[in-house]
Amino acid sequence: MQINVPHIIRLTAVLSVVGLAVVGCGRKGDLDPPSVHATKGGDASKPTKQPGTVDKPFFLDPLL
């Protein structure tokens, strides 16, 4: 089985684009600190809203 040079170049380009797309996913910024209620024995699985922040829904949120 021989692999020619254009096939290798095309494969490298496709894998590079897929890698950049995966790396670009996510939210910008620092991680959210845990709330006071979550650290004092509360339910840490349900984060509380930080004062002064606006939660903008993202179209992939239902998957999380």
Side-chain angles (χ1 to χ4, degrees), residues 11-36:
L11 181 64
T12 304
V14 168
L15 290 177
S16 297
V17 169
V18 169
L20 288 173
V22 170
V23 169
C25 293
R27 285 185 162 179
K28 273 187 172 179
D30 296 335
L31 295 175
D32 296 331
S35 66
V36 176

Side-chain angles (χ1 to χ4, degrees), residues 24-27 55-64:
C25 293
R27 285 185 162 179
D55 187 25
K56 293 185 263 181
F58 188 64
F59 71 96
L60 291 178
D61 281 345
L63 296 177
L64 299 174

Side-chain angles (χ1 to χ4, degrees), residues 36-49:
V36 176
H37 299 292
T39 57
K40 290 185 178 179
D43 187 10
S45 64
K46 295 180 182 177
T48 59
K49 293 187 89 174

